[in-house]
Amino acid sequence: MQRKYTLAILGGTGQQGSALALRWAKAGHRIIIGSRDPARATAAAEQLKAKLPAADASGTSYREAAAAAEVVVLTVPYAAQRTTVEEVRAALTGKILIDATVPLVAPKVARVQLPPEGSAVAAVQKLLGKAVRVVSAFQNVSAHHLRDLAHDVDCDVLVCGDDVAARDLAAQLAADMGLRAVHAGSIVNSAATEALTSLLISINLRYKIAGAGIRITGLP
Ligand SMILES: NC(=O)c1ccc[n+]([C@@H]2O[C@H](COP(=O)([O-])OP(=O)(O)OC[C@H]3O[C@@H](n4cnc5c(N)ncnc54)[C@H](OP(=O)(O)O)[C@@H]3O)[C@@H](O)[C@H]2O)c1
């Protein structure tokens, strides 16, 4: 690990957010879980510390978590993505926002159904403008694998974003939890990573497995 960051995980009470929080806490980062209900966030932080007593973890509201963090991570359902970003917008200025949102449309979550803007995460970058460097990552890594700390996750993390330094930081955070990150281009390319998740869900259903992943070949 290069250095310790203070990371806000907005949606850190849920499946993906709590699993990412656990892995980053194990890597030594300071975790602030954000929730619509601060008490739920505190309970999630306590659960994390029960698993990792040395973890530096706490819980609070979305706004306070985003304000206190150096890097903000978004793991809420697509339906809540824009409202959550708007709620914390003032606290995001000058920061990096790592967004793991997949725009799934129930009940047919195994079908690619991207929003009219083309990509959920690219739409957030457009909304926030240059004041916030948005990175799309972790859409293809299953919480099922991440939450098991003894498990080596067999999946690459595709990292998309318009700012290379922000992508580098997201890639470093992936590496800190034992994952290989691959730079996958500008934020509009997030459409491909978001779409891939529906393919992976379809594969999970067909082969009766819990967390299909992806690997990029040909890299040095
Ligand atoms: N699960 C995975 O394996 C996985 C993998 C890759 C990407 N993702 C993406 O990560 C995001 C979160 O997925 P998840 O599976 O972690 O979902 P989840 O278990 O339902 O958790 C989402 C969290 O978002 C918060 N939230 C805020 N507004 C909400 C609303 N209107 N309705 C419901 N929850 C709301 C909730 O926290 P509070 O109630 O505490 O506010 C909840 O704990 C999604 O965009 C998903 O596509 C998930």
Side-chain angles (χ1 to χ4, degrees):
M1 188 174 74
Q2 287 180 337
R3 61 164 275 214
K4 182 175 166 179
Y5 286 95
T6 298
L7 307 173
I9 321 261
L10 310 183
T13 56
Q15 298 283 327
Q16 189 71 338
S18 62
L20 290 171
L22 183 68
R23 293 237 167 199
W24 278 322
K26 186 176 179 228
H29 295 293
R30 180 176 170 229
I31 303 297
I32 308 174
I33 290 174
S35 167
R36 291 170 291 181
D37 175 359
R40 202 155 49 230
T42 303
E46 292 306 318
Q47 279 174 16
L48 192 160
K49 285 192 279 190
K51 289 180 193 155
L52 287 177
D56 183 350
S58 58
T60 184
S61 66
Y62 283 150
R63 269 191 212 171
E64 285 184 10
E70 296 171 276
V71 179
V72 180
V73 180
L74 188 62
T75 57
V76 299
Y78 174 56
Q81 183 205 28
R82 182 171 277 255
T83 49
T84 307
V85 167
E86 279 170 346
E87 187 180 335
V88 300
R89 185 174 187 159
L92 294 176
T93 303
K95 293 181 184 171
I96 292 171
L97 174 68
I98 300 176
D99 189 346
T101 303
V102 181
L104 299 176
V105 183
K108 299 200 168 163
V109 295
R111 280 195 192 170
V112 177
Q113 299 181 77
L114 293 179
E117 302 93 330
S119 150
V121 183
V124 161
Q125 178 67 85
K126 199 169 172 191
L127 170 76
L128 294 172
K130 288 194 189 308
V132 184
R133 292 176 289 162
V134 179
V135 178
S136 170
F138 303 105
Q139 279 84 2
N140 308 136
V141 188
S142 150
H144 174 80
H145 293 311
L146 287 174
R147 73 167 76 97
D148 178 2
L149 288 176
H151 178 71
D152 279 337
V153 181
D154 186 18
C155 183
D156 286 337
V157 176
L158 298 177
V159 177
C160 303
D162 292 342
D163 185 276
V164 176
R167 268 196 259 142
D168 276 338
L169 187 134
Q172 181 59 48
L173 289 172
D176 289 345
M177 64 169 87
L179 298 172
R180 185 178 73 163
V182 180
H183 283 257
S186 69
I187 199 74
V188 294
N189 289 359
S190 180
T193 37
E194 293 167 30
L196 254 181
T197 301
S198 287
L199 269 74
L200 294 172
I201 293 170
S202 178
I203 291 166
N204 288 341
L205 294 171
R206 176 65 179 78
Y207 294 93
K208 299 185 173 41
I209 57 173
I214 54 146
R215 283 285 185 210
I216 303 300
T217 62
L219 289 169

